[in-house]
Structure formats: C-alpha cells, structure tokens
Amino acid sequence: DSGVTQTPKHLITATGQRVTLRCSPRSGDLSVYWYQQSLDQGLQFLIQYYNGEERAKGNILERFSAQQFPDLHSELNLSSLELGDSALYFCASSVWSSSTDTQYFGPGTRLTVL
Amino acid sequence: AQSVAQPEDQVNVAEGNPLTVKCTYSVSGNPYLFWYVQYPNRGLQFLLKYITGDNLVKGSYGFEAEFNKSQTSFHLKKPSALVSDSALYFCAVRDQGGGSQGNLIFGKGTKLSVKP
C-alpha cells in the first residue's frame, strides 16, 4: 500500500457526461500528479500540482481540468466525455517537486465511457 | 526531448533463473531513472531509482538495476526469479525540460512471465 488513495475504483458513464476523480496523497506529500494509462497511448502525464498551485502540464485535453485543495487532496475533472477517454487514471504524490523525488502511485480509477 | 525505450514487449523466464528487463534512455541533462512494477488491477509500485552515485542500485523485492552511462541503459535485474514476479514492468525517466518538468516519462512496459 503506497498510502495514496483514489476514489472511485471504477466509473462507468456515457459519452458527453462529466466525472470527477479524487485523490488523497500520502501524508506529508505536497505534490500530486495525474497520469492516464491507455492501451494505445501507454502511461502519459496529464498535470501536476504542488501545494495548491499548478506546477506542470502534460498532454491534458482542454476538456480536462484539475485542482488541489488546501488539505492537499486533488480532483481531476473530465467533461464532455468521449469513448476514447476510457482509461485507467492514476494519481501519484511526492514530498516536494524535485526531479529526484520518488512518486508513489495510487491504485487508479478505471473509467469506462459507453 | 527525454525518452525511454523498453525493447522487449515480453520476457519469459523459468523460476529460479536470473532475469533481466531492458531499458535504454535519452536525456538532455542528468538522467534520473526509475523502475516501477504493475500487478494486474493494481497501481504502480516503486522498485528503485538512480539519481547519482553507484551504478548498481538495489531496490525492493530483491531487484536491482545497473546504470550504464556509455550505453545509456538502466536494465532491471534479479538473480533468481519467482513466479510472483510475473507482472508488467515500467522504466521511467524524469522529464527535466519545458512545461512538464518534474513528471515521469514512461516506457511502454515489459510483461515479465515467470514459469514454474
């Protein structure tokens, strides 16, 4: 158990809908990262927050957004969902935002868009 | 741009034999390299990392990795494989450039299958 929690574990929804994925980092970790894992794209970085502020952005669609709250938990919002958004979404956390920090991953949320 | 390559989609090993999962990298600065393992329906678990220092890095569950700067490789090894090591292994490098600085860039993964 990495200490990173994600809810829900599974999510099934329809095209055009909006969903929110939640992540609680390890105790004491200030950075939260979101990744998407799909069969065709592999593991891809979406976005990072550090102590409440956006720190880095990857291949995140404009339909997707995230935020980190004062208690350091983070939410990833996916809107106008398409079939291709079906994937496993991982949250990871690290103590700081240093290049040498280890990122610890949560169990993921499996999103299925029908 | 930083990148990682895992040339083998699958590695098959007999239990008790040594195993190697290959990884090569391309970075513009210092290479910060990581190995993670993913079991079915589970998240990624951290195994080990190379930041600096000794080229042989020891990690969890008896795994180790050898950093080779001249060959730009970071192969994962274990002296004696277990059936329970069967999983998907990912090599990753820390992105140190541009707007996505700090995140991990992953290889495509190598499926390790250990047969009894």
Side-chain angles (χ1 to χ4, degrees):
Chain A
D1 185 2
S2 67
V4 179
T5 60
Q6 289 186 249
T7 56
K9 287 187 177 179
H10 302 277
L11 202 49
I12 301 175
T13 188
T15 54
Q17 296 297 306
R18 172 189 170 95
V19 296
T20 297
L21 313 183
R22 182 188 169 103
C23 167
S24 293
R26 297 187 318 154
S27 177
D29 284 2
L30 298 177
S31 268
V32 169
Y33 308 79
W34 286 97
Y35 291 86
Q36 180 194 59
Q37 185 180 33
S38 62
L39 284 175
D40 53 345
Q41 299 288 337
L43 265 163
Q44 286 204 314
F45 168 70
L46 295 178
I47 197 164
Q48 177 202 358
Y49 278 81
Y50 176 73
N51 203 21
E53 295 189 0
E54 183 183 303
R55 178 58 65 98
K57 237 176 182 178
N59 297 323
I60 187 166
L61 299 171
E62 285 191 10
R63 301 183 284 108
F64 295 2
S65 65
Q67 57 185 129
Q68 187 179 27
F69 295 87
D71 67 352
L72 300 177
H73 91 271
S74 178
E75 293 181 356
L76 178 67
N77 300 297
L78 315 177
S79 62
S80 303
L81 285 168
E82 303 175 359
L83 295 177
D85 297 328
S86 295
L88 196 49
Y89 291 84
F90 286 112
C91 166
S93 72
S94 65
V95 178
W96 305 109
S97 184
S98 164
S99 293
T100 59
D101 284 348
T102 297
Q103 293 181 24
Y104 294 92
F105 283 74
T109 293
R110 183 170 293 281
L111 174 67
T112 302
V113 182
L114 301 176
Chain B
Q2 278 71 220
S3 66
V4 162
Q6 294 181 244
E8 301 156 318
D9 291 336
Q10 180 152 349
V11 170
N12 298 312
V13 178
E15 187 174 32
N17 283 0
L19 70 87
T20 299
V21 182
K22 295 179 180 178
C23 172
T24 58
Y25 65 88
S26 174
V27 299
S28 54
N30 292 322
Y32 300 135
L33 299 158
F34 300 77
W35 275 103
Y36 286 84
V37 59
Q38 185 178 24
Y39 296 98
N41 300 314
R42 301 276 294 277
L44 280 77
Q45 294 181 30
F46 169 71
L47 284 177
L48 50 81
K49 67 180 179 183
Y50 173 82
I51 303 301
T52 187
D54 288 342
N55 290 340
L56 188 63
V57 180
K58 294 193 182 295
S60 306
Y61 312 120
F63 284 93
E64 56 190 28
E66 186 170 10
F67 171 71
N68 188 316
K69 188 174 183 178
S70 63
Q71 296 185 3
T72 61
S73 66
F74 189 55
H75 300 332
L76 182 70
K77 300 181 179 184
K78 188 174 183 181
S80 178
L82 300 172
V83 172
S84 58
D85 292 330
S86 298
L88 191 56
Y89 290 79
F90 289 95
C91 182
V93 65
R94 204 58 171 262
D95 193 344
Q96 299 179 61
S100 47
Q101 182 173 357
N103 63 281
L104 293 169
I105 298 171
F106 286 91
K108 293 191 173 184
T110 297
K111 183 178 179 182
L112 174 66
S113 178
V114 182
K115 301 293 185 186

